Amino acid sequence: MKKLISFLFLYAFIISFGQVYQPIDTADYAQRKDFLKIFSVNAENLIKKSKTDYSGKKGNELSKYYKEFEKDFEGKVKEKDFVFNSVFDSKVKSLIERLKKNNPQIPQNLKILVAKDNTPNAYCFADGTFVINMGLFNWLNNDDQLAAVISHELGHKISEHTLKTLLSIIDQDQMDRTVVQSIKSTKENRNQRAFDVLKSRIYRKGAENRRQEMQADSLGYVVFKNSDFKKTEFINTLKRLEDFDTISPRTLKVETYKKYFNLPQQAFKDKWLKKEDFSLYNYNHFKEKLDKDSLKSHPEIVLRINNLKKIFPELKTDVADEKPSDSYKTLEKIARMETLPNFYHSEDYGVGIYASLQFLQDEEEEKYYKNWLGKCFAKIYEARKNYNLNRYLDRVDPKNQSESYQQFLNFMWNLSLDEIKNIADYYRTEKS
């Protein structure tokens, strides 16, 4: 559900460009090639270092993880999941330089990448590759809040949480093998004992992840407050991310469907909005074996905020968000306009249609979003024709989806192949 949420925050202003917005060009072959060359060298050095620092089986297992990561990440770079030398790069680099001034513990070899991902997130890998998602620019409110997220991730890097997690996995694998052999040697309660091993491992992993998040908050805040950013924006950043975790999508009105799908050659049909009846399904009887709360990798945001306020008294008083700089406002607008190109790139065509309708309902850049509506419907048509629509369009899930999104999914699944094609053709040729 999170991929549905990042574009739903209603801004106080409507983006206005003099002409139809042109998405960021990803034909940056030279820059991508240069990055991969440096990345490959650094990855090999990291693998050699792991074998030197950790002899025997542990070193071999650690280097195996790094090799798998290197291969996977190189694939993402080649698939253009990241943009190079974009308008976002200079902003991120300038913020990191401000953080470095009074924080010599920050690694000097960070390599910055901006991901075509709408979720407000960032992460730093063991080799010093630092990834910032475009969704952060769209979701956060100013430079200070972006710097707060970067500081948190630097807290992970300074603490070498990635390395520690991998070492813990390697140690736990060895312990589990011993337990599994013991289970195999007896016939009684094998299934239950095996499940208990799995459950115990998952719970321990969740608890360790939560501890690391708390630690990264504390270390990140120290980095943040040593710089020239407003201290209270660190707490405000967590509040913004809490909104991302909890905000309910705005309702897509029936009038919006009728406005954009009542076409000259295909009149709107009320039956398209018919919902599947789930009243006979009794979800109260469903009971999961695992405790969901114990599986969360991030502590509840409110607990993280309270923890910081307890450790750092200067954070106890809540203060309103800082106003964004003009440069941040510009990047915020661009990130918002990149929402649809990003969904299209990740093949989230169903979500792309839902997002387009949300923007159109708000009367934002009508020509631009109608064009994306056509592109996404064309992909949905191809998927429906090839019997693989499930890959690009969710099924209705009453337990985990808003009423608005369920209505949208019912609408999409109610359309026939020809009706989908007619909509795709109309919006790919329609001129505003």
Side-chain angles (χ1 to χ4, degrees):
M1 283 297 292
K2 284 189 176 181
K3 65 185 179 182
L4 299 174
I5 300 174
S6 58
F7 62 86
L8 296 174
F9 182 70
L10 182 59
Y11 290 87
F13 54 84
I14 296 177
I15 300 170
S16 177
F17 289 86
Q19 55 186 357
V20 177
Y21 175 79
Q22 294 298 316
I24 294 174
D25 184 13
T26 57
D28 38 22
Y29 302 107
Q31 296 94 327
R32 194 179 305 119
K33 183 178 179 181
D34 290 343
F35 172 83
L36 285 174
K37 185 176 181 180
I38 296 172
F39 177 76
S40 179
V41 171
N42 289 341
E44 289 304 312
N45 289 336
L46 187 63
I47 290 170
K48 290 178 181 178
K49 186 176 185 301
S50 67
K51 289 184 176 180
T52 301
D53 294 345
Y54 301 93
S55 60
K57 191 170 185 179
K58 182 173 289 189
N60 290 332
E61 288 294 319
L62 191 58
S63 63
K64 188 185 301 182
Y65 277 116
Y66 286 144
K67 285 179 182 178
E68 290 175 355
F69 163 73
E70 178 188 6
K71 181 179 179 181
D72 179 72
F73 196 75
E74 282 184 352
K76 292 180 183 298
V77 174
K78 291 176 181 178
E79 289 296 320
K80 303 182 182 180
D81 286 2
F82 308 95
V83 293
F84 292 83
N85 294 338
S86 70
V87 290
F88 302 102
D89 286 290
S90 58
K91 171 64 72 177
V92 174
K93 289 175 181 176
S94 70
L95 295 178
I96 290 179
E97 287 306 311
R98 287 170 65 181
L99 291 168
K100 281 182 177 179
K101 284 183 180 179
N102 296 318
N103 292 289
Q105 71 273 35
I106 295 177
Q108 297 299 310
N109 64 336
L110 297 176
K111 298 172 290 300
I112 311 302
L113 284 182
V114 176
K116 290 176 60 63
D117 191 320
N118 293 322
T119 55
N121 201 5
Y123 42 97
C124 189
F125 297 120
D127 73 320
T129 299
F130 204 108
V131 176
I132 302 287
N133 287 354
M134 279 189 202
L136 276 172
F137 294 89
N138 190 18
W139 194 254
L140 301 180
N141 289 332
N142 52 53
D143 291 358
D144 296 57
Q145 291 183 8
L146 184 60
V149 173
I150 293 172
S151 298
H152 172 88
E153 294 306 321
L154 288 173
H156 281 302
K157 174 59 182 170
I158 293 168
S159 301
E160 295 291 358
H161 282 159
T162 299
L163 172 62
K164 291 175 181 177
T165 297
L166 290 176
L167 292 174
S168 175
I169 290 172
I170 292 169
D171 290 339
Q172 191 62 48
D173 281 344
Q174 184 58 46
M175 291 174 60
D176 287 348
R177 288 193 191 100
T178 303
V179 175
V180 169
Q181 289 299 321
S182 173
I183 292 173
K184 287 182 177 179
S185 65
T186 60
K187 295 182 179 180
E188 295 180 357
N189 299 322
R190 281 186 179 180
N191 291 340
Q192 184 60 47
R193 291 176 65 194
F195 179 75
D196 287 343
V197 171
L198 172 63
K199 184 170 64 173
S200 177
R201 180 171 185 176
I202 292 174
Y203 286 169
R204 285 196 300 272
K205 183 176 182 293
E208 176 60 20
N209 287 345
R210 288 193 293 273
R211 188 192 66 79
Q212 288 185 354
E213 288 301 318
M214 292 285 196
Q215 186 179 30
D217 280 341
S218 299
L219 289 173
Y221 175 68
V222 171
V223 168
F224 186 78
K225 78 170 186 174
N226 286 344
S227 305
D228 58 347
F229 299 103
K230 188 174 181 181
K231 297 180 179 64
T232 50
E233 285 302 280
F234 201 91
I235 294 293
N236 289 340
T237 303
L238 289 174
K239 290 178 180 178
R240 290 295 300 128
L241 297 177
E242 182 183 22
D243 285 343
F244 177 78
D245 286 336
T246 60
I247 193 171
S248 297
R250 291 176 292 112
T251 300
L252 198 59
K253 301 173 183 176
V254 171
E255 291 76 13
T256 302
Y257 290 96
K258 293 183 177 180
K259 178 178 180 180
Y260 292 102
F261 299 117
N262 186 30
L263 309 181
Q265 304 301 321
Q266 182 172 279
F268 185 84
K269 300 176 183 178
D270 288 330
K271 68 177 184 179
W272 290 342
L273 295 177
K274 183 180 179 181
K275 296 181 181 179
E276 185 174 352
D277 183 10
F278 288 93
S279 61
L280 297 179
Y281 290 72
N282 188 346
Y283 288 98
N284 293 326
H285 293 160
F286 178 78
K287 183 177 180 180
E288 292 180 313
K289 281 189 172 183
L290 299 177
D291 179 2
K292 276 189 174 181
D293 290 336
S294 299
L295 302 179
K296 292 180 180 178
S297 61
H298 286 60
E300 296 291 345
I301 297 290
V302 67
L303 296 180
R304 293 170 60 182
I305 291 174
N306 290 339
N307 184 61
L308 284 169
K309 288 183 175 182
K310 181 179 179 181
I311 299 172
F312 304 102
E314 68 269 24
L315 297 177
K316 287 184 177 179
T317 302
D318 291 334
V319 179
D321 290 4
E322 285 283 286
K323 293 182 179 179
S325 62
D326 289 339
S327 62
Y328 190 88
K329 285 181 181 178
T330 299
L331 295 178
E332 186 178 33
K333 292 178 181 180
I334 294 172
R336 188 166 173 84
M337 297 299 284
E338 288 292 322
T339 299
L340 264 298
N342 291 346
F343 279 140
Y344 193 83
H345 171 75
S346 61
E347 299 185 342
D348 289 317
Y349 306 124
V351 178
I353 293 171
Y354 189 64
S356 295
L357 291 171
Q358 289 277 12
F359 286 129
L360 288 168
Q361 181 170 275
D362 291 338
E363 299 182 346
E364 294 191 31
E365 298 291 327
E366 187 173 52
K367 186 174 181 179
Y368 181 72
Y369 290 114
K370 281 183 175 180
N371 180 49
W372 283 107
L373 200 60
K375 287 183 177 181
C376 290
F377 260 103
K379 290 294 186 180
I380 291 293
Y381 169 71
E382 292 177 12
R384 183 71 172 268
K385 186 172 62 174
N386 294 322
Y387 301 100
N388 62 349
L389 186 55
N390 276 321
R391 180 177 173 184
Y392 309 105
L393 187 65
D394 294 332
R395 284 289 188 181
V396 178
D397 181 2
K399 284 192 66 182
N400 299 304
Q401 296 166 346
S402 68
E403 288 287 340
S404 178
Y405 190 55
Q406 289 179 56
Q407 175 67 85
F408 166 74
L409 293 175
N410 277 288
F411 167 79
M412 293 297 296
W413 284 103
N414 287 338
L415 293 170
S416 70
L417 182 64
D418 288 341
E419 288 166 344
I420 293 172
K421 185 178 187 303
N422 289 337
I423 295 172
D425 291 346
Y426 176 79
Y427 280 109
R428 286 200 297 178
T429 57
E430 199 258 355
K431 303 297 181 182
S432 299

